[in-house]
Amino acid sequence: MSTATLAPTDTIAAAARRHGRWIDDWRPEDPEFWANGGARIARRNLIFSIFSEHIGFSVWTLWSVLVLFLGPAYGIDPAQKFLLTAAPAALGAIVRLPYTFAVATFGGRNWTIISALLLLIPAGLAAFLIQPGVSYGTLLIIACVAGVGGGNFASSMANINAFYPQRLKGWALGLNAGGGNLGVAVVQVVGLAVLATVGAGRPGLIAGIYIPLIVIAAVASALYMDNLTQASNERGALREVSRDPHTWIMSLLYIGTFGSFIGFGFAFGQVLQVQFKDSFSTPVEAAYLTFLGPLLGSLIRPVGGALADRFGGAFVTLVNFGAMGAGAAVVLYASSARSLPLYLVGFVLLFVFSGVGNGSTYKMIPAIFKAKSLFSDLPPELAEARARRLSGALIGIAGAVGAFGGVLVNVAFRQSFLSTGSAEAAYVAFIAYYALCLVVTWFVYLRPSPGRLAGV
């Protein structure tokens, strides 16, 4: 069913009932369209997108918990454990680009179903193969495969970006991403529950718990989500957006925000056990604290988007990088002073501010192309469609590059411990990077100049 004018609720619902749940006409910037059913459909898709993405994040970061279970019986040293957490972070970054454009090829609903079912592979392998005696190479392969869960974020964000109007994108994208990011904290709570009830001898049980949840996510997506026909017209966006300098500037900034969040999420438990081994002699003791930072960072992400909606994404991002640098300085001082309470405070601040920055940077992406569309020679409707198309492409690229920050964080910790016996060199590197991001944000988006993009 194709609809030329879509305003009444029953007309929108009819479009959504087309075979395969495709909606042919979607105009979120039209207030009448939005009020008469558009908002309801967007909200429904957002809810089930969050659920599926949440499960994807949990599977992706599963190894942040599983490494705590790998005791002496597995014969693995701390450096090897950091590689086990870097592996899924790396694959998760790589698959984000194809996942983003899978939405254009298959439709948002259809790809959400497929990407959810793909999670059965890493969950099944981890559930049945992790036990004493398994080779390190096998563990590395299982960990790497878990990276497919990282791709769910990119496709989910590109899909939801198309559903919401510009004025609500910061909140909607922040809520979508924050709900997904919560999977990092929830999988650690699940791991803590397993440790507390059955001990460290059943690591596969954690992955097994997610198998029925994956099936539920796929079925719910099939029943309640929709595809947007307009998304199928976005396949040429990658080449176009890759030539835009803002693509690589935003990718640089997203390494600092999301890369920090996911990297610290993977590494926090290991760092505690290595740097404060006298205080965390068992995995349970570390697991009691590891979920707190990811939990707060996930919950605060929608707030970052909302603040960006009100004050501008670039301004919030600038202030936030200053705060992240301060948080890293607190961690550096606490590490040298061997102060566990101050160390935990500093790390929690890093998680919180990385969450705020995740929301504000993603708000900047559609705002950049919205501002650039005002200088376009195209008719307003075509300029708006082009801005939306390029925003979706940039979300995919920035998400992929930013996720590599998770790899860099784990590699930085590993190298710092191997070279100096502590993580202090890594913290110095983090502070320097946040300072660079602060300067870039001001110079490109906030510095008074004739070419400054309004509204970013």
Side-chain angles (χ1 to χ4, degrees), residues 133-400:
V134 65
S135 69
Y136 181 72
T138 300
L139 290 175
L140 200 57
I141 291 172
I142 298 172
C144 188
V145 174
V148 297
N152 290 33
F153 171 85
S155 56
S156 178
M157 293 294 277
N159 186 40
I160 294 304
N161 179 62
F163 272 97
Y164 275 83
Q166 177 66 30
R167 69 184 186 278
L168 298 176
K169 284 185 188 293
W171 172 253
L173 292 176
L175 197 62
N176 185 59
N181 292 170
L182 273 173
V184 182
V186 171
V187 74
Q188 293 177 356
V189 173
V190 171
L192 175 61
V194 171
L195 281 168
T197 54
V198 301
R202 300 280 302 279
L205 183 59
I206 304 173
I209 290 172
Y210 278 92
I211 292 176
L213 296 176
I214 292 168
V215 174
I216 292 172
V219 172
S221 301
L223 293 175
Y224 300 110
M225 292 187 71
D226 304 291
N227 302 302
L228 296 181
T229 303
Q230 68 186 36
S232 63
N233 299 321
E234 300 182 357
R235 294 173 186 147
L238 177 61
R239 184 180 304 169
E240 185 176 354
V241 81
S242 65
R243 296 193 294 264
D244 193 310
H246 292 287
T247 296
W248 307 109
I249 293 169
M250 291 308 303
S251 297
L252 175 81
L253 302 183
Y254 203 55
I255 287 175
T257 56
F258 181 76
S260 295
F261 174 83
I262 199 65
F264 295 150
F266 273 115
F268 188 31
Q270 295 182 77
V271 172
L272 283 177
Q273 282 198 297
V274 174
Q275 190 146 5
F276 294 93
K277 56 186 175 182
D278 295 338
S279 301
F280 300 101
S281 57
T282 67
V284 176
E285 293 170 342
Y288 275 122
L289 296 172
T290 54
F291 76 92
L292 181 60
L295 174 65
L296 295 175
S298 302
L299 292 175
I300 204 73
R301 180 163 184 161
V303 177
L307 288 172
D309 284 336
R310 181 170 182 181
F311 299 107
F315 175 75
V316 175
T317 299
L318 177 80
V319 174
N320 193 73
F321 275 124
M324 290 185 71
V330 170
V331 173
L332 175 61
Y333 173 78
S335 176
S336 62
R338 306 295 297 169
S339 172
L340 178 58
L342 190 58
Y343 187 85
L344 293 173
V345 168
F347 241 114
V348 167
L349 289 176
L350 277 175
F351 274 110
V352 168
F353 292 130
S354 67
V356 172
N358 286 340
S360 64
T361 49
Y362 255 46
K363 166 63 179 178
M364 290 172 67
I365 292 173
I368 287 169
F369 291 108
K370 178 71 172 178
K372 294 181 71 172
S373 71
L374 300 177
F375 301 98
S376 173
D377 295 330
L378 296 172
E381 289 186 3
L382 293 179
E384 179 184 306
R386 180 175 180 271
R388 186 167 55 245
R389 178 169 61 90
L390 296 180
S391 294
L394 177 47
I395 282 174
I397 293 176

